[in-house]
Amino acid sequence: MNLHPGGVATDTLCVTIASHADLTLLLDLDGTLIPFAPRAEDANLDVGAVRLLAALHEAGIHVVIVSGRTHASIAALRVLAPHAWWIAEHGTWRCDDTRQWQGPSALPELAAVSSMLQAFARVPGAYLEPKSLSVALHWRLVPHQLKDDLIRGAELVCDEWLESHADFERIAGVEMLEVRHRSANKGSVVGWLRQRRPGRSEERRVGKECRS
């Protein structure tokens, strides 16, 4: 993890944040704590990130790490930041001081669209990532000459399926798309945190995942 100075405005913001006696910091995992990698399992917390998370804990800052990955895929990372709370699958799976994951069962409706997307996952370099309330198709490693057709075809299949499934939506990501139930929204994490930590109202969010 590389940390770069952000100028006077960033320094001022940091001073303001640090002045709060009880602070919760929501950090995005991929793209913030971890650089993007061809496959999620190839990305890990480096020594600098682990030390930073430990220092934040020692400073009395409550850290919440937010990810769109499945909770199973980040289990190994959680060991590297045991004092943090972890949020997976866009806010639907949560792990707090109990060290136990809690989340929903898989939606049976996703089986049909997952089956249709499986044809695109057979393209070299593509893969499908099933989750409880969504399914994601990744194409970062797909050869450039094959990407455009894959993307157009996958978007068309998803959009046709969504015409009869209004509770779901198609989300565009970095080298991927995801069909997700509308209830899977990271914004719900803030309300959950305030219920679990009453009286602690100062939260700061860093990263793309924490803003969607």
Side-chain angles (χ1 to χ4, degrees), residues 27 56 61 82 87 95-96 108 123 153 181:
L27 297 173
L56 290 171
I61 297 173
I87 308 296
C95 181
D96 56 17
V123 174
H181 195 274

Side-chain angles (χ1 to χ4, degrees), residues 46-160:
D46 62 21
V47 174
V50 172
R51 288 176 176 170
L52 172 63
L53 293 171
L56 290 171
H57 172 71
E58 291 172 3
I61 297 173
H62 181 228
V63 175
V64 180
I65 300 174
V66 183
S67 175
R69 301 192 203 182
T70 65
H71 69 286
S73 69
I74 59 177
L77 299 180
R78 191 169 63 83
V79 177
L80 300 175
H83 300 292
W85 289 10
W86 288 76
I87 308 296
E89 296 195 29
H90 312 290
T92 59
W93 280 85
R94 300 160 183 175
C95 181
D96 56 17
D97 286 336
T98 65
R99 304 291 190 265
Q100 299 295 318
W101 284 103
Q102 295 184 343
S105 300
L107 292 177
E109 302 98 300
L110 288 169
V113 70
S114 296
S115 178
M116 291 185 286
L117 289 174
Q118 192 63 53
F120 300 97
R122 297 190 188 101
V123 174
Y127 69 96
L128 207 60
E129 182 186 17
K131 305 177 186 180
S132 298
L133 303 188
S134 66
V135 58
L137 176 67
H138 298 261
W139 55 73
R140 186 184 296 273
L141 293 178
V142 171
H144 180 74
Q145 65 271 23
L146 301 178
K147 277 188 181 181
D148 287 346
D149 287 344
L150 181 149
I151 294 170
R152 282 195 296 267
E155 288 179 345
L156 179 61
V157 163
C158 292
D159 290 346
E160 289 179 347

